[in-house]
Amino acid sequence: MAKTTLSTLREYKKDGRRFGTITAYDAAFARLFDECGVPALLVGDSLGMVMQGRESTLGVTIEDVAYHTSCVSRAVANSLILADMPFMTYDTPENACRNAALLMRAGASVVKIEGGSWLCHTVECLIRCGVPVCAHLGLTPQSVNVFGGYKIQGRSADQAQQLKEDARALQDAGAGLLVLECVPAPLAREITSSLAIPVIGIGAGSGTDGQILVMHDAFGITPGRTPRFARNFLSEAGDLRAAVKLYLDEVASGAFPSESQSFF
Ligand code: KIV
């Protein structure tokens, strides 16, 4: 199997080939996902909740993500490794470049940042410094306190218009990927078809180019309430490898996420 790059994911989009991705935080799971052929792994700041037991992602530091990225990168042969820039580590383009360097040195190939067109200059600076960027729009968990909770985004006409404009602006600034989280499925489909870059959805319906799940949600071991957009592939498949393969197959066929796992 060949190493996945951003060009691979762009080819998938061009060919209409839907792809599944998943979060990873340690070497054991990263190796398993890589061996199962998951094209991209995200070292998400969700690690604050699922690994550290926090209430939100806000307490995660750049050192935390760098540490988990180095664990993941030692185990991976082919999967593309994305790493999250934590809360307040990209408040200026200078801070973004300095902190992104820590993640790239730890083994990331792409960094992910949450926010709209106010980040365009930061995206341009990162790209100029050789750091590929994945943008993240919709329910961006680092802004939970601004949103007043984990709420679906893009339901009003104004919000939907803003999301479309932000997505286009971030692509034009050089973002190579976009994650859309918890937005109505028809809006996610429209944004996906309007962009040249691959769009990866979570709680965004089946019309995006790819899907991502927090691994704990895919295996039914999420502490507390499992989100409506998740599915317990482990209980269906019986073992970890079969669960990952089932997830990839169900994304590829368009069976996951179903309408009941999407928002409208
Ligand atoms: O931190 C994370 O795991 C994420 C995904 C939910 C997209 O940002």
Side-chain angles (χ1 to χ4, degrees), residues 4-13 19 21 39-42 80-83 109-113 115 123 127 131-137 166-167 170-172 174-180 195-201 209-210 212:
T4 305
T5 64
L6 280 180
S7 312
T8 319
L9 301 183
R10 269 195 295 266
E11 283 301 310
Y12 288 172
K13 180 176 181 112
F19 56 92
T21 67
L41 305 180
L42 170 68
L80 181 71
I81 300 175
L82 282 64
S109 292
V110 179
V111 302
K112 180 165 78 58
I113 55 178
V123 172
I127 306 284
V131 180
V133 178
C134 174
H136 183 162
L137 290 172
D166 283 343
L170 288 160
Q171 170 179 273
D172 292 348
L177 283 175
L178 173 66
V179 167
L180 274 183
L195 297 183
I197 58 173
V199 177
I200 300 174
D209 303 302
I212 185 155

Side-chain angles (χ1 to χ4, degrees), residues 219-260:
F219 296 149
I221 51 169
T222 308
R225 201 172 58 85
T226 302
R228 162 167 152 192
F229 55 76
R231 178 168 149 189
N232 184 343
F233 290 94
L234 181 57
S235 70
E236 290 176 49
D239 75 69
L240 287 171
R241 280 169 202 278
V244 176
K245 290 196 170 119
L246 179 63
Y247 166 57
L248 294 178
D249 288 349
E250 294 283 271
V251 171
S253 72
F256 177 80
S258 65
E259 293 217 339
S260 65

Side-chain angles (χ1 to χ4, degrees), residues 136-207:
H136 183 162
L137 290 172
L139 172 48
T140 44
Q142 291 171 19
S143 299
V144 61
N145 292 308
V146 175
F147 296 144
Y150 295 100
K151 297 177 179 162
I152 311 306
Q153 300 296 307
R155 276 199 162 135
S156 74
D158 283 356
Q159 272 189 0
Q161 185 57 30
Q162 186 65 55
L163 281 175
K164 288 188 239 181
E165 288 173 15
D166 283 343
R168 168 58 63 145
L170 288 160
Q171 170 179 273
D172 292 348
L177 283 175
L178 173 66
V179 167
L180 274 183
E181 179 164 355
C182 289
V183 299
L187 175 63
R189 186 179 292 277
E190 186 185 340
I191 292 175
T192 301
S193 60
S194 75
L195 297 183
I197 58 173
V199 177
I200 300 174
I202 173 164
S206 62

